[in-house]
Amino acid sequence: SQQGEEDPQALSIQEGENATMNCSYKTSINNLQWYRQNSGRGLVHLILIRSNEREKHSGRLRVTLDTSKKSSSLLITASRAADTASYFCATDPQLSGGYQKVTFGTGTKLQVIP
Amino acid sequence: NAGVTQTPKFRVLKTGQSMTLLCAQDMNHEYMYWYRQDPGMGLRLIHYSVGEGTTAKGEVPDGYNVSRLKKQNFLLGLESAAPSQTSVYFCASSYSTFSSGGNNEQFFGPGTRLTVL
């Protein structure tokens, strides 16, 4: 099963509005990453937040992490039509021994209407 | 730098045919991955490699084989294609893993859209 689950599955907003999407996960993690996927393209890394961090910013992106609730949120401020894409969270589990696989969620599909 | 490249971009196979998908990266990354993406399923890891000459099974390895003879290349093979393998396949690479003290950001290729009839 997926470690990360995004919510909502789809989101439609007007250009200039803020977009918030959430990710919940099941086991303890080393870090959580957010990726963007434009239609027909590969995923692109947006931001990584480590388990000992609570908030991180990158341009118009703000990511929060609440390890007690096992959840993260991605906020895109002042959205643009070019932000239309699917957004995925990926979790790096905190397990012992060997290589631990990063697991991707099912994604939130964001549509920004001009 | 080209980053991660995949060939071919599109392919249509008949059931039972075989093919190889090629992934190449020019970032000197140790780790490489093959995923498949299906509607509503997110990305599922097929196989991965933690270095040249190594391969390991991921979440959905059945029906696929891989090889990593050179550090920059990771090949995904389908020996006898089935309609259930119709999907979009993504290759990715990363410099390190968190457990090795690094940032395990993954770099993705553009994908291969495979249809098996």
Side-chain angles (χ1 to χ4, degrees):
Chain A
S1 64
Q2 299 292 335
Q3 160 77 320
E5 296 288 341
E6 288 91 341
D7 171 62
Q9 289 187 335
L11 180 61
S12 183
I13 60 174
Q14 296 289 328
E15 199 166 31
E17 293 181 338
N18 295 342
T20 300
M21 51 206 88
N22 305 296
C23 171
S24 59
Y25 56 92
K26 297 173 184 173
T27 63
S28 296
I29 58 171
N30 292 313
N31 65 60
L32 185 145
Q33 303 173 38
W34 286 92
Y35 289 78
R36 183 188 73 230
Q37 183 181 33
N38 290 93
S39 181
R41 309 290 291 271
L43 278 71
V44 174
H45 184 265
L46 293 176
I47 196 166
L48 179 151
I49 187 165
R50 297 183 184 272
S51 60
N52 61 353
E53 297 175 314
R54 292 297 166 258
E55 188 171 311
K56 205 161 182 181
H57 296 254
S58 177
R60 293 184 296 111
L61 305 180
R62 174 178 166 249
V63 170
T64 61
L65 179 65
D66 187 335
T67 53
S68 66
K69 294 181 179 179
K70 292 187 170 58
S71 67
S72 172
S73 67
L74 171 67
L75 168 67
I76 304 173
T77 60
S79 63
R80 305 167 182 169
D83 295 328
T84 294
S86 291
Y87 292 82
F88 295 85
C89 67
T91 51
D92 183 355
Q94 195 177 72
L95 299 171
S96 61
Y99 167 71
Q100 303 304 333
K101 299 180 284 292
V102 168
T103 306
F104 288 82
T106 53
T108 291
K109 197 166 187 176
L110 173 66
Q111 181 186 28
V112 181
I113 302 167
Chain B
N1 289 347
V4 179
T5 58
Q6 292 181 233
T7 52
K9 289 185 169 51
F10 302 93
R11 186 73 186 268
V12 178
L13 290 179
K14 294 181 180 178
T15 297
Q17 287 185 318
S18 64
M19 77 163 295
T20 300
L21 283 68
L22 172 63
C23 175
Q25 53 95 3
D26 61 2
M27 296 171 283
N28 201 33
H29 285 171
E30 288 291 336
Y31 299 83
M32 296 188 75
Y33 319 85
W34 275 108
Y35 294 92
R36 60 178 289 173
Q37 185 176 35
D38 302 291
M41 299 292 290
L43 282 167
R44 292 183 291 170
L45 183 65
I46 304 171
H47 285 281
Y48 63 97
S49 169
V50 300
E52 180 179 316
T54 74
T55 62
K57 294 180 180 179
E59 184 184 353
V60 288
D62 293 343
Y64 305 95
N65 57 74
V66 288
S67 64
R68 182 106 181 264
L69 298 179
K70 292 183 179 181
K71 187 177 183 178
Q72 62 268 33
N73 295 337
F74 196 27
L75 278 63
L76 177 71
L78 285 74
E79 290 184 346
S80 180
S84 61
Q85 294 177 304
T86 293
S87 187
V88 181
Y89 292 85
F90 288 99
C91 176
S93 68
S94 66
Y95 178 67
S96 66
T97 61
F98 183 86
S99 60
S100 65
N103 177 353
N104 56 348
E105 166 190 354
Q106 294 189 22
F107 294 79
F108 282 80
T112 295
R113 187 173 294 275
L114 175 66
T115 301
V116 183
L117 301 175

